[in-house]
Amino acid sequence: MTNPAQDAPAASGPAALKVALLGGGTVGSQAARILTEDAEALRDRVGAPLELTGIAVRSRGAERDWRADPALYTTDAEALVDGADIVIELMGGIEPARTLIRRALAAGTSVITGNKALLAQHGEELFALASETGAQLSFEAAVAGAIPILRPLRDSLSGDTVTRVMGIANGTTNFILDRMDTEGADFADALAEAQRLGYAEADPTADVGGLDAAAKAAILATLSFGAPYTLDDVAVEGITAITAEDNAAAADAGYVIKLLAIAERATAEDGTSGAVLRVHPTLLPREHPLASVRGAYNAVFVEAENAGQLMFYGPGAGGAPTASAVMGDVVSIAQRIVRGGPARLRTPVAHLPALDAAEASTSCMVVLHVADEPGVLRRVAAVFEEHGVSLETLRQVQSDRAAAPGASLRLITHRARQRDLDATVDALAALDAVHEVVSVLKVEGN
Ligand code: NDP
Ligand code: HSE
């Protein structure tokens, strides 16, 4: 790889490193601001100036959170990539981001990206190309915004065995659920506010449908377990079905609903060792550390054999926080270009297959609307017993169905295999005495 900083004549100081920025939206405009306003401090840290050579956008005249010199905006992303020492990809989406990143890596140019959707689908192809050419592909911003979580997993915990990663990894959904829980906000209003604040993806169905958190779960699992996972390995359920009634039931039982991304080592019923990756709305006890994560903040709980439990917390979305993570990668890559040294490669070390989510061990809260007559409790409890699922609590509760004849029951199970919990719920739905399975929510942290 060429080293512009070392090639420069001594008298004029190290040559500037040319930084191409692909995308000038929520995060890109903040990265441009930091590169411009903090240029001196960055030069001191890197040992050479960082020169922002251009910002690739779709529309040169569009409104921006922070506007760079108008001459920097271009629609010719390829030309920008070709002249760069470092490329920052903040366009989002699969194409043209994938082709542009490939173009840079093929030329030996290191790339920083926050594009978890791309990494979770095509990461292995991009990392293989980077390792062929000696370029580096860095992506701290792709998971949990400003929170430094990927480096700790990759470096600090590399001498330990990570067994489980469980986190609130999507700011938009946490913002929506928090507003619904604390202010009784309407789902659509809370989503619109999250979009206005720059937390949501260009297509927010990736947020509310759980796919954004799933992409992050795949990335977290890949780094935690040293084996490659993709979006297809994650069982995904979003928050679109969560109702005000679910929130009320959760609050009444002492829980809060959070969208969790979980990656854990597990052993299947047939003895296969692997990992289960899942994203779903989850009930957490109000006193659990993740329950107090508010607004668009994220937090990731890591469990390792020797370190025990660690929690990483901070702003999970938004322009400036995410640009902070991007700039950390920029400085690290720029320092390597200036001082020399090999790129940091990502090599899978373990073969830990993704297991079906039915193999996961979890507990759940089931709310049933049942006939109010003798023997119903016994018949309901018998279904749990038949499927080997043990009950922690069973209570008759008030619910929106109170006006209808019958009674509402809230049952919370002990941990059981997901397959057995699913079969239990199916059998409950088929009982004559059960008028309706009102809700089934997974419970963690109890
Ligand atoms: P935005 O939609 O705000 O910005 C995207 C930018 O890319 C815009 O400037 C847009 O141009 C440009 N762009 C998109 N497609 C093209 C194209 N085909 N050709 C040229 N330019 C294009 O996205 P964000 O800044 O929110 O997100 C960027 C990336 O960072 C995504 O991968 C996202 O997942 C990730 N990320 C975002 C976070 C956030 O909080 N927003 C947090 C963590 C990661 P124009 O302005 O002209 O439309
Ligand atoms: N849309 C994402 C979120 C951005 O809400 O978390 C940060 O990755």
Side-chain angles (χ1 to χ4, degrees):
M1 175 190 276
T2 57
N3 182 340
Q6 282 178 355
D7 291 346
S12 58
L17 297 177
K18 294 186 170 56
V19 179
L21 182 53
L22 309 181
T26 304
V27 186
S29 61
Q30 293 303 316
R33 176 185 63 76
I34 298 170
L35 279 162
T36 308
E37 291 181 350
D38 298 347
E40 257 181 60
L42 292 168
R43 182 201 57 205
D44 293 345
R45 279 171 223 159
V46 167
L50 298 179
E51 181 196 351
L52 177 59
T53 51
I55 307 172
V57 291
R58 276 176 301 215
S59 158
R60 295 181 58 201
E63 276 291 308
R64 315 218 167 260
D65 294 345
W66 186 88
R67 255 200 105 65
D69 176 350
L72 287 175
Y73 293 97
T74 175
T75 52
D76 190 350
E78 291 188 355
L80 199 55
V81 166
D82 290 347
D85 299 307
I86 296 172
V87 169
I88 306 175
E89 186 278 307
L90 293 168
M91 282 179 169
I94 305 301
E95 289 294 353
R98 178 186 180 193
T99 302
L100 290 165
I101 291 177
R102 284 191 62 89
R103 190 179 180 100
L105 295 175
T109 305
S110 292
V111 175
I112 294 100
T113 180
N115 195 333
K116 53 267 165 157
L118 177 64
L119 292 174
Q121 288 176 66
H122 300 288
E124 285 318 296
E125 155 206 321
L126 299 175
F127 287 110
L129 180 56
S131 77
E132 253 174 56
T133 64
Q136 187 160 326
L137 177 57
S138 297
F139 50 100
E140 184 62 68
V143 179
I147 305 174
I149 175 67
L150 302 187
R151 271 169 215 241
L153 284 175
R154 188 191 56 210
D155 295 338
S156 322
L157 289 165
S158 60
D160 205 335
T161 301
V162 175
T163 49
R164 191 168 201 245
V165 181
M166 172 169 96
I168 295 171
N170 181 271
T172 302
T173 46
N174 202 55
F175 181 87
I176 295 170
L177 291 172
D178 186 34
R179 287 285 161 99
M180 287 173 79
D181 175 47
T182 58
E183 297 169 21
D186 172 73
F187 185 100
D189 291 347
L191 171 58
E193 177 74 350
Q195 287 179 284
R196 193 185 63 73
L197 292 168
Y199 304 146
E201 295 303 299
D203 175 1
T205 55
D207 295 292
V208 298
L211 283 177
D212 179 78
K216 292 163 176 169
I219 294 170
L220 287 168
T222 297
L223 290 175
S224 302
F225 307 142
Y229 300 99
T230 70
L231 197 54
D232 293 340
D233 295 320
V234 190
V236 192
E237 187 189 332
I239 65 162
T240 47
I242 298 296
T243 60
E245 192 180 357
D246 291 330
N247 270 305
D252 187 52
Y255 292 92
V256 61
I257 303 176
K258 297 288 185 189
L259 184 75
L260 292 192
I262 302 173
E264 59 199 344
R265 290 176 190 262
T267 305
E269 219 163 6
D270 68 3
T272 309
S273 293
V276 175
L277 282 61
R278 51 195 169 109
V279 166
H280 48 70
T282 312
L283 293 170
L284 284 172
R286 291 239 170 223
E287 60 280 7
H288 191 279
L290 290 178
S292 56
V293 176
R294 305 279 313 273
Y297 275 67
N298 283 187
V300 184
F301 219 70
V302 179
E303 292 173 30
E305 277 179 5
N306 299 299
Q309 296 184 326
L310 309 165
M311 185 157 128
F312 300 82
Y313 170 79
T322 308
S324 160
V326 168
M327 290 308 301
D329 282 342
V330 171
V331 168
S332 158
I333 284 175
Q335 285 173 336
R336 186 176 62 78
I337 295 175
V338 170
R339 293 171 199 163
R344 190 196 300 272
L345 299 180
R346 210 195 61 183
T347 323
V349 290
H351 178 68
L352 206 58
L355 301 176
D356 193 290
E359 303 290 356
S361 159
T362 185
S363 52
C364 71
M365 179 173 97
V366 183
V367 178
L368 302 174
H369 192 243
V370 297
D372 196 0
E373 59 190 35
V376 169
L377 282 186
R378 185 183 44 76
R379 274 179 278 160
V380 165
V383 170
F384 284 87
E385 193 183 338
E386 279 158 25
H387 291 86
V389 176
S390 161
L391 280 172
E392 183 185 294
T393 59
L394 185 161
R395 260 191 82 187
Q396 184 160 343
V397 289
Q398 289 296 320
S399 87
D400 283 5
R401 310 291 191 283
S408 286
L409 295 181
R410 184 174 69 213
L411 305 105
I412 300 179
T413 72
H414 283 294
R415 274 190 179 273
R417 220 175 264 282
Q418 185 65 56
R419 174 181 297 118
D420 297 328
L421 291 169
D422 292 343
T424 307
V425 172
D426 288 348
L428 287 169
L431 270 190
D432 282 348
V434 173
H435 295 161
E436 185 185 355
V437 177
V438 179
S439 71
V440 181
L441 283 165
K442 296 180 182 68
V443 181
E444 292 288 336
N446 56 357

